[in-house]
Amino acid sequence: MEKTIEDPPTSAVLLDHCHFSQVIFNSVEKFYIPGGDVTCRYTFTQNFIPRQKDWIGIFRVGWKTVREYYTFMWVTLPSDLNNKSAKQQEVQFKAYYLPKDDEYYQFCYVDQDGVVRGASIPFQFRPENEEDILVVTTQGEVEEIEQHNKELCKENQELKDSCVSLQKQNSDMQAELQKKQEELETLQSINKKLELKVKEQKDYWETELLQLKEQNQKMSSENEKMGIRVDQLQAQLSTQEKEMEKLVQGDQDKTEQLEHLKKENGHLFLSLTEQRKDQKKLEQTVEEMKQNETTAMKKQQELMDENFDLSRRLSEKKMIYNALQREKERLEGENDLLKRENSRLLSYMGLDFNSLPYQVPTSDEGGAGQNPGLVYGNPYSGIQESSSPSQLSIKKCPICKADDICDHTLEQQQMQALCLNCPICDKIFPATEKQIFEDHVFCHSL
């Protein structure tokens, strides 16, 4: 069998040596003569089942992954695996495919998943040694050879002890293999039960299939639409497969970068430790800043509430001021009318306005109490008795019946200050209804 152009299935994953005993290589020489074909003989163990894409490669000793093979040959599948002769197989490597150096190599059996199932002892490709030359040695050389022989005997004994240890390890692996065989038999029994259930389920599905065929006729039109969608998805799938190939190639590059990243990881770990210390300090600083920020936000909220309250009170004061300003303008207008009327009456009575004594309007005088619009007093107050106070100037509180100004009177005056009086019909509006008050006054001018 010659080497084919198709590459064998491989894997970049590091290998697990626990699978190396499933295929055993027989009659492996310590060295092979260059220029000749090499026959590789191997035996399948009881629990191993070969597959179509399995292969045997020649690897240089010290390989890491199955991609490092020197050459390979496909495995020939036996027709009957239960036959004893089928367990023993062989492949032949042609001379022109074999290595030309004297390095150590070994056979490895690799399955179609890229997993190594068996490995042989190391061997070399070198010519035979000339053993027919007559050698003459001295007595000293003989003693040296005997001493060297003793050392070789001692080393041989150590190798025998190591071989016993390996045989014990092999027996342990055989026991574990027997245990796995029992588990496999259990799984096979479970598999048979599952096959029965699958058969029952298959009968049920056949019944359902008859019903689905009837529905299939109704859905044929929808299937045509789905076919178009499938074509689109297949186009997307082909694109994704190309991208997957690129990702696989990138994965190989990442595997090479992994070793470099492991070295950098050590340096980064030391840097991370220092950064964590700095992070703890920063976290403490951030916590203090958060506390300060919380305190500042509370203070800001208090100031905003106080500012809102002051703004509300300022708005109310402005409304009261505007109402009082309009009332003042109205009273000044009435005062001008009364002054002209007062001058007319005085000229009618033959009195000079300038000759009358000046009277300051106060809340205690009778004329001013009767008409607050008379800024200069009542012109007829001189005719009446000026010595007796006017009865209208003394007002009693409707609640406590007090003659003087009391808390109820002050509260009533404050409520009047917070109200808006119509200068035409004397209708009262609350200070908060400024727009309604202005609309009412505007209606009188229509």
Side-chain angles (χ1 to χ4, degrees), residues 71-85:
T71 185
F72 78 97
M73 294 295 294
W74 294 110
V75 172
T76 302
L77 295 180
S79 58
D80 186 8
L81 291 175
N82 295 325
N83 189 359
K84 184 176 180 179
S85 61

Side-chain angles (χ1 to χ4, degrees), residues 121-182:
I121 62 174
F123 55 85
Q124 289 179 291
F125 294 95
R126 61 182 179 84
E128 290 183 307
N129 295 327
E130 296 294 336
E131 298 179 355
D132 297 335
I133 300 174
L134 179 63
V135 179
V136 179
T137 59
T138 62
Q139 182 65 28
E141 292 176 349
V142 170
E143 292 177 357
E144 185 178 354
I145 291 172
E146 289 179 354
Q147 182 66 28
H148 184 64
N149 190 21
K150 289 180 181 180
E151 293 177 356
L152 290 176
C153 290
K154 183 178 179 180
E155 185 178 354
N156 188 24
Q157 184 63 33
E158 292 177 354
L159 291 174
K160 286 181 179 180
D161 295 338
S162 177
C163 183
V164 171
S165 176
L166 290 174
Q167 287 177 355
K168 183 179 178 181
Q169 184 178 0
N170 188 22
S171 63
D172 294 338
M173 293 180 68
Q174 291 292 338
E176 184 179 358
L177 186 61
Q178 184 64 27
K179 184 178 178 181
K180 295 294 183 182
Q181 179 66 23
E182 293 176 356

